Tab-separated table of all heavy atoms in Angstrom:
chain	number	residue	atom	x	y	z
E	128	ALA	N	99.450	129.673	78.684
E	128	ALA	CA	100.771	129.405	79.290
E	128	ALA	C	100.929	127.923	79.591
E	128	ALA	O	101.984	127.337	79.351
E	128	ALA	CB	100.935	130.223	80.566
E	129	ARG	N	99.858	127.289	80.097
E	129	ARG	CA	100.046	125.878	80.456
E	129	ARG	C	100.052	124.972	79.230
E	129	ARG	O	100.718	123.934	79.223
E	129	ARG	CB	99.050	125.421	81.520
E	129	ARG	CG	97.603	125.529	81.186
E	129	ARG	CD	96.770	125.130	82.404
E	129	ARG	NE	95.407	124.854	82.016
E	129	ARG	CZ	94.363	125.602	82.338
E	129	ARG	NH1	94.518	126.674	83.099
E	129	ARG	NH2	93.159	125.279	81.928
E	130	ARG	N	99.364	125.387	78.160
E	130	ARG	CA	99.471	124.620	76.912
E	130	ARG	C	100.901	124.692	76.384
E	130	ARG	O	101.465	123.704	75.925
E	130	ARG	CB	98.503	125.155	75.862
E	130	ARG	CG	97.213	124.310	75.769
E	130	ARG	CD	96.474	124.526	74.472
E	130	ARG	NE	96.116	125.916	74.244
E	130	ARG	CZ	95.033	126.501	74.762
E	130	ARG	NH1	94.198	125.809	75.523
E	130	ARG	NH2	94.766	127.762	74.528
E	131	GLN	N	101.496	125.868	76.519
E	131	GLN	CA	102.886	126.064	76.090
E	131	GLN	C	103.832	125.197	76.936
E	131	GLN	O	104.712	124.529	76.408
E	131	GLN	CB	103.241	127.562	76.217
E	131	GLN	CG	104.667	127.926	75.912
E	131	GLN	CD	105.019	127.698	74.435
E	131	GLN	OE1	104.123	127.534	73.600
E	131	GLN	NE2	106.306	127.655	74.144
E	132	THR	N	103.612	125.196	78.277
E	132	THR	CA	104.419	124.358	79.172
E	132	THR	C	104.325	122.903	78.742
E	132	THR	O	105.329	122.191	78.641
E	132	THR	CB	103.910	124.490	80.630
E	132	THR	OG1	103.986	125.856	81.002
E	132	THR	CG2	104.728	123.662	81.594
E	133	ALA	N	103.096	122.436	78.479
E	133	ALA	CA	102.881	121.036	78.113
E	133	ALA	C	103.583	120.718	76.797
E	133	ALA	O	104.233	119.673	76.661
E	133	ALA	CB	101.386	120.738	78.008
E	134	ARG	N	103.467	121.649	75.834
E	134	ARG	CA	104.107	121.418	74.532
E	134	ARG	C	105.616	121.277	74.694
E	134	ARG	O	106.219	120.345	74.184
E	134	ARG	CB	103.801	122.606	73.606
E	134	ARG	CG	103.215	122.175	72.265
E	134	ARG	CD	103.098	123.268	71.233
E	134	ARG	NE	102.952	124.619	71.700
E	134	ARG	CZ	101.779	125.253	71.855
E	134	ARG	NH1	100.646	124.641	71.592
E	134	ARG	NH2	101.742	126.497	72.272
E	135	GLU	N	106.206	122.203	75.461
E	135	GLU	CA	107.658	122.182	75.654
E	135	GLU	C	108.114	120.898	76.345
E	135	GLU	O	109.091	120.284	75.949
E	135	GLU	CB	108.081	123.370	76.526
E	135	GLU	CG	108.223	124.660	75.748
E	135	GLU	CD	108.488	125.845	76.668
E	135	GLU	OE1	108.978	125.638	77.799
E	135	GLU	OE2	108.181	126.959	76.249
E	136	LEU	N	107.374	120.502	77.391
E	136	LEU	CA	107.810	119.341	78.165
E	136	LEU	C	107.585	118.045	77.398
E	136	LEU	O	108.387	117.118	77.492
E	136	LEU	CB	107.125	119.314	79.536
E	136	LEU	CG	107.655	120.395	80.479
E	136	LEU	CD1	106.819	120.476	81.740
E	136	LEU	CD2	109.118	120.114	80.842
E	137	LEU	N	106.508	117.960	76.631
E	137	LEU	CA	106.303	116.752	75.822
E	137	LEU	C	107.404	116.644	74.762
E	137	LEU	O	107.877	115.546	74.463
E	137	LEU	CB	104.913	116.765	75.183
E	137	LEU	CG	103.774	116.427	76.159
E	137	LEU	CD1	102.412	116.656	75.509
E	137	LEU	CD2	103.879	114.986	76.664
E	138	ALA	N	107.839	117.779	74.242
E	138	ALA	CA	108.959	117.755	73.289
E	138	ALA	C	110.238	117.309	74.003
E	138	ALA	O	111.009	116.502	73.485
E	138	ALA	CB	109.151	119.129	72.658
E	139	LEU	N	110.433	117.805	75.226
E	139	LEU	CA	111.631	117.458	76.003
E	139	LEU	C	111.727	115.945	76.230
E	139	LEU	O	112.813	115.368	76.204
E	139	LEU	CB	111.605	118.189	77.354
E	139	LEU	CG	112.796	117.960	78.273
E	139	LEU	CD1	114.027	118.706	77.753
E	139	LEU	CD2	112.495	118.415	79.702
E	140	VAL	N	110.582	115.287	76.472
E	140	VAL	CA	110.611	113.840	76.716
E	140	VAL	C	110.449	113.035	75.427
E	140	VAL	O	110.261	111.817	75.459
E	140	VAL	CB	109.555	113.394	77.762
E	140	VAL	CG1	109.819	114.034	79.112
E	140	VAL	CG2	108.134	113.700	77.283
E	141	GLY	N	110.526	113.709	74.298
E	141	GLY	CA	110.529	113.003	73.017
E	141	GLY	C	109.157	112.661	72.477
E	141	GLY	O	109.016	111.755	71.658
E	142	LEU	N	108.120	113.369	72.923
E	142	LEU	CA	106.759	113.117	72.444
E	142	LEU	C	106.114	114.405	71.922
E	142	LEU	O	105.047	114.813	72.399
E	142	LEU	CB	105.883	112.554	73.586
E	142	LEU	CG	106.230	111.179	74.123
E	142	LEU	CD1	105.326	110.850	75.319
E	142	LEU	CD2	106.045	110.123	73.043
E	143	PRO	N	106.742	115.024	70.917
E	143	PRO	CA	106.227	116.332	70.485
E	143	PRO	C	104.821	116.270	69.890
E	143	PRO	O	104.130	117.284	69.862
E	143	PRO	CB	107.255	116.780	69.434
E	143	PRO	CG	107.927	115.533	68.976
E	143	PRO	CD	107.914	114.591	70.138
E	144	ASP	N	104.394	115.072	69.440
E	144	ASP	CA	103.099	114.996	68.752
E	144	ASP	C	102.014	114.295	69.577
E	144	ASP	O	100.973	113.914	69.034
E	144	ASP	CB	103.267	114.268	67.419
E	144	ASP	CG	104.300	114.953	66.544
E	144	ASP	OD1	104.283	116.206	66.494
E	144	ASP	OD2	105.135	114.246	65.951
E	145	ALA	N	102.254	114.106	70.865
E	145	ALA	CA	101.327	113.282	71.649
E	145	ALA	C	100.321	114.095	72.468
E	145	ALA	O	99.493	113.510	73.173
E	145	ALA	CB	102.116	112.365	72.581
E	146	ALA	N	100.346	115.413	72.355
E	146	ALA	CA	99.550	116.247	73.270
E	146	ALA	C	98.066	115.875	73.292
E	146	ALA	O	97.435	115.912	74.351
E	146	ALA	CB	99.716	117.716	72.906
E	147	ASP	N	97.514	115.501	72.143
E	147	ASP	CA	96.066	115.265	72.089
E	147	ASP	C	95.682	113.807	72.251
E	147	ASP	O	94.510	113.449	72.090
E	147	ASP	CB	95.510	115.802	70.758
E	147	ASP	CG	95.677	117.307	70.661
E	147	ASP	OD1	95.644	117.969	71.730
E	147	ASP	OD2	95.878	117.814	69.541
E	148	ARG	N	96.655	112.965	72.552
E	148	ARG	CA	96.331	111.539	72.694
E	148	ARG	C	96.022	111.207	74.148
E	148	ARG	O	96.565	111.789	75.071
E	148	ARG	CB	97.483	110.703	72.161
E	148	ARG	CG	97.628	110.921	70.647
E	148	ARG	CD	98.902	110.353	70.105
E	148	ARG	NE	98.875	108.894	70.057
E	148	ARG	CZ	99.866	108.164	69.573
E	148	ARG	NH1	100.946	108.755	69.114
E	148	ARG	NH2	99.790	106.858	69.562
E	149	TYR	N	95.150	110.219	74.333
E	149	TYR	CA	94.767	109.787	75.677
E	149	TYR	C	95.712	108.667	76.131
E	149	TYR	O	96.261	107.937	75.296
E	149	TYR	CB	93.316	109.308	75.678
E	149	TYR	CG	92.344	110.468	75.638
E	149	TYR	CD1	91.911	111.002	74.422
E	149	TYR	CD2	91.906	111.064	76.826
E	149	TYR	CE1	91.059	112.095	74.385
E	149	TYR	CE2	91.056	112.156	76.794
E	149	TYR	CZ	90.639	112.664	75.576
E	149	TYR	OH	89.810	113.749	75.550
E	150	PRO	N	95.896	108.515	77.461
E	150	PRO	CA	96.803	107.488	77.965
E	150	PRO	C	96.547	106.105	77.370
E	150	PRO	O	97.499	105.382	77.066
E	150	PRO	CB	96.542	107.510	79.481
E	150	PRO	CG	96.185	108.943	79.750
E	150	PRO	CD	95.396	109.389	78.542
E	151	ALA	N	95.268	105.740	77.160
E	151	ALA	CA	94.956	104.414	76.628
E	151	ALA	C	95.524	104.215	75.225
E	151	ALA	O	95.678	103.079	74.765
E	151	ALA	CB	93.444	104.199	76.608
E	152	GLU	N	95.845	105.318	74.546
E	152	GLU	CA	96.391	105.222	73.181
E	152	GLU	C	97.917	105.196	73.176
E	152	GLU	O	98.517	105.207	72.107
E	152	GLU	CB	95.925	106.428	72.354
E	152	GLU	CG	94.418	106.570	72.273
E	152	GLU	CD	94.018	107.875	71.612
E	152	GLU	OE1	94.186	108.940	72.242
E	152	GLU	OE2	93.547	107.826	70.476
E	153	LEU	N	98.532	105.200	74.357
E	153	LEU	CA	99.994	105.286	74.444
E	153	LEU	C	100.586	103.976	74.959
E	153	LEU	O	99.972	103.278	75.771
E	153	LEU	CB	100.400	106.420	75.401
E	153	LEU	CG	99.858	107.817	75.076
E	153	LEU	CD1	100.221	108.788	76.197
E	153	LEU	CD2	100.389	108.312	73.736
E	154	SER	N	101.815	103.663	74.521
E	154	SER	CA	102.534	102.496	75.046
E	154	SER	C	103.000	102.790	76.472
E	154	SER	O	102.972	103.949	76.922
E	154	SER	CB	103.745	102.200	74.167
E	154	SER	OG	104.707	103.231	74.335
E	155	GLY	N	103.476	101.737	77.160
E	155	GLY	CA	103.969	101.911	78.526
E	155	GLY	C	105.090	102.930	78.603
E	155	GLY	O	105.116	103.798	79.486
E	156	GLY	N	106.034	102.831	77.654
E	156	GLY	CA	107.163	103.769	77.637
E	156	GLY	C	106.698	105.202	77.416
E	156	GLY	O	107.194	106.137	78.049
E	157	MET	N	105.716	105.362	76.512
E	157	MET	CA	105.203	106.715	76.238
E	157	MET	C	104.485	107.272	77.470
E	157	MET	O	104.604	108.453	77.797
E	157	MET	CB	104.265	106.685	75.032
E	157	MET	CG	104.990	106.400	73.723
E	157	MET	SD	103.842	105.946	72.402
E	157	MET	CE	103.384	107.545	71.773
E	158	LYS	N	103.738	106.402	78.146
E	158	LYS	CA	103.037	106.874	79.358
E	158	LYS	C	104.039	107.371	80.402
E	158	LYS	O	103.811	108.389	81.062
E	158	LYS	CB	102.203	105.739	79.966
E	158	LYS	CG	100.917	105.477	79.208
E	158	LYS	CD	100.115	104.413	79.910
E	158	LYS	CE	99.438	103.555	78.885
E	158	LYS	NZ	98.738	102.405	79.366
E	159	GLN	N	105.153	106.637	80.554
E	159	GLN	CA	106.134	107.079	81.551
E	159	GLN	C	106.824	108.364	81.116
E	159	GLN	O	107.193	109.200	81.937
E	159	GLN	CB	107.156	105.986	81.862
E	159	GLN	CG	106.637	104.884	82.784
E	159	GLN	CD	105.949	105.375	84.039
E	159	GLN	OE1	104.901	106.022	83.973
E	159	GLN	NE2	106.496	105.067	85.189
E	160	ARG	N	106.978	108.561	79.800
E	160	ARG	CA	107.516	109.842	79.327
E	160	ARG	C	106.559	110.977	79.693
E	160	ARG	O	106.976	112.045	80.140
E	160	ARG	CB	107.718	109.822	77.813
E	160	ARG	CG	108.868	108.949	77.350
E	160	ARG	CD	108.883	108.873	75.827
E	160	ARG	NE	109.735	107.799	75.349
E	160	ARG	CZ	111.006	107.946	75.013
E	160	ARG	NH1	111.577	109.119	75.074
E	160	ARG	NH2	111.706	106.922	74.602
E	161	VAL	N	105.264	110.731	79.493
E	161	VAL	CA	104.271	111.754	79.852
E	161	VAL	C	104.309	111.995	81.370
E	161	VAL	O	104.237	113.141	81.834
E	161	VAL	CB	102.850	111.348	79.403
E	161	VAL	CG1	101.821	112.373	79.870
E	161	VAL	CG2	102.788	111.180	77.882
E	162	ALA	N	104.446	110.907	82.129
E	162	ALA	CA	104.483	111.047	83.593
E	162	ALA	C	105.687	111.882	84.032
E	162	ALA	O	105.590	112.679	84.976
E	162	ALA	CB	104.512	109.666	84.251
E	163	ILE	N	106.818	111.713	83.337
E	163	ILE	CA	107.999	112.517	83.663
E	163	ILE	C	107.739	113.986	83.317
E	163	ILE	O	108.028	114.885	84.107
E	163	ILE	CB	109.249	111.979	82.932
E	163	ILE	CG1	109.631	110.603	83.489
E	163	ILE	CG2	110.425	112.945	83.075
E	163	ILE	CD1	110.677	109.857	82.667
E	164	ALA	N	107.155	114.196	82.147
E	164	ALA	CA	106.826	115.580	81.745
E	164	ALA	C	105.871	116.211	82.753
E	164	ALA	O	106.018	117.368	83.139
E	164	ALA	CB	106.212	115.583	80.343
E	165	ARG	N	104.891	115.424	83.197
E	165	ARG	CA	103.922	115.953	84.175
E	165	ARG	C	104.613	116.315	85.488
E	165	ARG	O	104.322	117.341	86.105
E	165	ARG	CB	102.801	114.935	84.426
E	165	ARG	CG	101.688	115.505	85.287
E	165	ARG	CD	100.562	114.532	85.510
E	165	ARG	NE	101.003	113.348	86.232
E	165	ARG	CZ	100.189	112.383	86.627
E	165	ARG	NH1	98.901	112.447	86.348
E	165	ARG	NH2	100.657	111.348	87.277
E	166	ALA	N	105.549	115.444	85.915
E	166	ALA	CA	106.249	115.721	87.180
E	166	ALA	C	107.127	116.967	87.076
E	166	ALA	O	107.368	117.641	88.069
E	166	ALA	CB	107.086	114.507	87.574
E	167	LEU	N	107.609	117.264	85.848
E	167	LEU	CA	108.484	118.426	85.667
E	167	LEU	C	107.705	119.732	85.516
E	167	LEU	O	108.275	120.820	85.608
E	167	LEU	CB	109.360	118.239	84.417
E	167	LEU	CG	110.459	117.184	84.494
E	167	LEU	CD1	111.044	116.938	83.104
E	167	LEU	CD2	111.560	117.618	85.461
Side-chain angles (χ1 to χ4, degrees):
R129 59 184 196 249
R130 261 199 303 277
Q131 176 66 15
T132 302
R134 233 189 333 265
E135 278 174 23
L136 288 171
L137 284 172
L139 181 74
V140 298
L142 294 175
D144 303 318
D147 296 329
R148 294 168 73 178
Y149 284 89
E152 302 172 288
L153 304 174
S154 69
M157 291 165 86
K158 283 184 217 174
Q159 283 311 64
R160 289 174 195 266
V161 176
I163 292 169
R165 187 178 63 176
L167 290 169

